Amino acid sequence: GENVEQHPSTLSVQEGDSAVIKCTYSDSASNYFPWYKQELGKRPQLIIDIRSNVGEKKDQRIAVTLNKTAKHFSLHITETQPEDSAVYFCAASKTGGGNKLTFGTGTQLKVEL
Amino acid sequence: GAVVSQHPSWVICKSGTSVKIECRSLDFQATTMFWYRQFPKQSLMLMATSNEGSKATYEQGVEKDKFLINHASLTLSTLTVTSAHPEDSSFYICSAGPGHHPYNEQFFGPGTRLTVL
């Protein structure tokens, strides 16, 4: 089955700096890669996703890049703000795989003033 | 986006009792729903795939007789934790996605915090 690795497990940045979280996946058939933000005790919230037919997607301060050859994708957050502090999860799934998501291990992002 | 609800949001029970958690898709029909368990400071681990009108598919290592799943309608799936023990204490989250959405976008319920005393 699919295996998704995520790094780093914790990330501390100064407000205004950029943050980058990286994930690798094992199943070359995976074609959908969402990123979720989860605050303590809350549900995961989709912040951005990317399909395998594009290499990059941007939404304001958030961007995701995908390298299908290397089987890795990354989340980039620019101009970080304290409210960006949360746990971020990457995930992967594939069409025909029952829409089943395999999650990475998570990254605790802390944005310091 | 699509809305998924869960009930209850939290529950405390005694060891040995059973607890039922409901997951509802409020504005779409879902032939498939997913149940996850999340321990503190850990990732979401898929427990099972709930299929409307048929048996659930359980992930390896998940006891199907302990975690009973029923998906009797296109908008409701239930997870029953039978004979709960303290080690079953966790955050249980369901997800579902409208079938017409491109690719595999999933929407999560708010989660249920289970504490077994």
Side-chain angles (χ1 to χ4, degrees):
Chain A
E2 175 67 279
N3 181 50
V4 178
E5 295 187 355
Q6 184 172 347
H7 299 281
S9 57
T10 61
L11 180 59
S12 184
V13 299
Q14 294 293 314
E15 182 180 9
D17 288 349
S18 296
V20 180
I21 303 171
K22 299 181 179 181
C23 290
T24 60
Y25 61 99
S26 61
D27 189 342
S28 58
S30 290
N31 60 358
Y32 175 65
F33 308 93
W35 285 89
Y36 293 91
K37 176 183 180 182
Q38 187 180 31
E39 297 178 350
L40 190 62
K42 302 282 184 68
R43 77 183 86 192
Q45 296 276 9
L46 180 70
I47 56 171
I48 196 167
D49 58 14
I50 191 167
R51 278 67 167 169
S52 60
N53 58 345
V54 297
E56 185 173 358
K57 183 178 178 180
K58 188 174 182 179
D59 182 5
Q60 299 183 348
R61 297 187 296 111
I62 297 174
V64 58
T65 58
L66 171 65
N67 183 327
K68 287 171 55 180
T69 303
K71 290 190 283 189
H72 66 69
F73 55 112
S74 301
L75 177 71
H76 304 253
I77 305 175
T78 59
E79 300 173 30
T80 54
Q81 301 166 3
E83 50 265 38
D84 293 330
S85 297
V87 179
Y88 291 80
F89 293 98
C90 63
S93 71
K94 61 185 178 183
T95 306
N99 294 354
K100 194 165 67 172
L101 286 170
T102 300
F103 281 86
T105 48
T107 297
Q108 175 74 63
L109 174 64
K110 183 177 181 181
V111 180
E112 299 177 333
L113 296 172
Chain B
V3 180
V4 176
S5 70
Q6 265 183 258
H7 178 80
S9 56
W10 59 270
V11 57
I12 301 173
C13 69
K14 293 182 179 180
S15 187
T17 61
S18 294
V19 175
K20 180 184 283 187
I21 303 170
E22 294 185 347
C23 177
R24 293 182 186 272
S25 55
L26 298 185
D27 52 1
F28 65 97
Q29 293 183 330
T31 55
T32 302
M33 292 183 173
F34 299 93
W35 286 97
Y36 296 85
R37 180 168 52 183
Q38 187 178 32
F39 292 110
K41 297 189 177 183
Q42 293 189 25
S43 186
L44 286 83
M45 297 302 296
L46 181 66
M47 299 175 65
T49 303
S50 176
N51 304 299
E52 188 269 336
S54 64
K55 292 183 179 180
T57 305
Y58 291 82
E59 295 299 303
Q60 193 172 9
V62 177
E63 301 175 59
K64 61 180 180 180
D65 293 331
K66 180 169 183 61
F67 299 98
L68 302 179
I69 291 173
N70 185 280
H71 195 151
S73 78
L74 287 171
T75 60
L76 173 65
S77 175
T78 61
L79 168 68
T80 301
V81 183
T82 63
S83 187
H85 288 92
E87 57 266 30
D88 298 322
S89 298
S90 188
F91 193 48
Y92 292 86
I93 311 176
C94 68
S95 76
H100 66 273
H101 261 247
Y103 288 84
N104 308 322
E105 187 169 357
Q106 293 288 302
F107 298 89
F108 286 85
T112 297
R113 175 77 57 192
L114 171 63
T115 301
V116 184
L117 302 177

